[in-house]
């Protein structure tokens, strides 16, 4: 099984200044075209939050026109730039999204169980899960005895060293880590928000963040804590699952590069 994780598309309307700088909607269209035509075509796509930039209805309308261009099932998670009520209202065909309350859900029907969590605090850049969601996560983990589990949430549950981004981090990361540490069948925790690929062990499980399909956050660590963005290439993650090998994570660029050579291959 191949799972594509695309993140932080930050879609805006064409006349937005942000569009002049980053062209996020065009880049998401490119990303859809890329995964549809890839030699490593995914079975399923997750967009791990910050789907639009300023949570406006018109931005979700732009997104609504792009999503059907993906030729495989797409699942949406909210980020801090999203409005959960609008998201639910604007995407009724995404009927895995609960009709009320937080946008937590489970994706079944695959060799892995996917548990998706809503870290959005309305109007705030930080994220929080809270006791109720953490209890729900714990119950869902206990309920799954047959398959490995992948947990997805927008805000990563660790300090990344990109100090300016860490200030907009998950407020209850310690509590999340406690739940994770109780279960030994969590294959991976997958996040967005950082606009970079970063890994860390949390509660004994590898957590991986995803680059953006739009723009990346400048790599400034520790004391060097200004917030900046770069035009590093749009990128996404491909998680390759086999029963024998477990889950292996690769990154791929959205832009197609020429193949130098492939031994005995015609791909
Ligand atoms: Fe973002
Ligand atoms: Fe974010």
């Amino acid at each position: 099984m191949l799972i594509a994780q695309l993140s932080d598309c930050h879609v805006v309307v064409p006349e937005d200044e942000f569009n002049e700088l980053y062209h996020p909607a065009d880049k998401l269209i490119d990303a859809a075209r890329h995964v549809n035509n890839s030699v490593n075509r995914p079975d399923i796509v997750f967009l791990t939050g910050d789907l639009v930039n300023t949570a406006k209805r018109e931005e979700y309308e732009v997104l609504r026109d792009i999503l059907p261009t993906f030729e495989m099932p797409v699942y949406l998670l909210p980020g801090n730039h999203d409005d959960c009520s609008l998201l639910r209202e604007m995407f009724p065909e995404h009927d895995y999204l609960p009709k009320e309350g937080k946008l937590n859900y489970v994706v079944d029907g695959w060799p892995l169980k996917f548990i998706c969590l809503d870290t959005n605090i309305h109007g705030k850049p930080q994220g929080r899960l809270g006791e109720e969601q953490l209890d729900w996560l714990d119950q869902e983990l206990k309920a799954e005895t047959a398959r490995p589990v992948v947990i997805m949430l927008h805000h990563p549950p660790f300090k990344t060293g990109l100090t300016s981004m860490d200030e907009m981090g998950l407020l209850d990361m310690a509590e999340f880590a406690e739940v994770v540490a109780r279960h030994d069948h969590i294959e991976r925790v997958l996040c967005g928000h950082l606009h970079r690929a970063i890994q860390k062990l949390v509660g004994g499980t590898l957590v991986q963040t995803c680059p953006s399909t739009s723009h990346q956050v400048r790599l400034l660590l520790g004391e060097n804590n200004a917030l900046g963005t770069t035009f590093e290439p749009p990128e996404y993650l491909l998680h390759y699952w086999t029963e024998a090998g477990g889950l292996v994570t690769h990154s791929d660029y959205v832009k197609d590069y020429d193949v130098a050579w492939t031994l005995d291959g015609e791909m």
Side-chain angles (χ1 to χ4, degrees), residues 15 36 65 86 91 151 156 163 192-193 197 214 223 245 254 262 267:
E15 53 275 15
N36 289 339
D65 287 342
L86 259 183
F91 296 91
I151 299 172
T163 313
H193 192 51
S214 172
E223 302 284 296
V254 168
T262 306
M267 287 182 286

Side-chain angles (χ1 to χ4, degrees), residues 8-10 49-50 80-81 154 165 193-195 212 215:
D8 293 84
C9 6
H10 286 264
D50 288 354
N80 51 297
H81 284 254
H154 180 68
M165 292 301 291
H193 192 51
L194 262 295
H195 296 230
S212 167
H215 51 285

Side-chain angles (χ1 to χ4, degrees), residues 85-96:
S85 305
L86 259 183
L87 190 56
R88 191 185 340 249
E89 182 194 326
M90 301 283 290
F91 296 91
E93 68 282 15
H94 288 247
D95 55 4
Y96 54 86

Side-chain angles (χ1 to χ4, degrees), residues 1 3-7 44-49 75-78 103-105 107 112-119 129 133 136-137 149-157 176 186 188-192 207-208 210 237 239 247:
M1 177 186 190
I3 305 129
Q5 182 188 2
L6 281 61
S7 203
I44 185 172
V45 171
F46 287 89
L47 300 187
T48 47
Y75 291 89
L76 307 176
L77 279 83
L103 298 180
N104 304 315
Y105 57 90
V107 178
L112 297 160
K113 172 172 176 166
F114 301 94
I115 302 179
C116 299
L117 299 169
D118 173 355
T119 55
L129 289 163
Q133 283 196 101
W136 179 82
L137 170 63
V149 174
V150 172
I151 299 172
M152 303 213 186
L153 68 169
H154 180 68
H155 294 79
F176 176 82
I186 307 171
R188 192 82 85 254
V189 176
L190 300 174
C191 307
V207 180
Q208 168 82 52
C210 187
L237 299 179
H239 309 288
L247 193 69

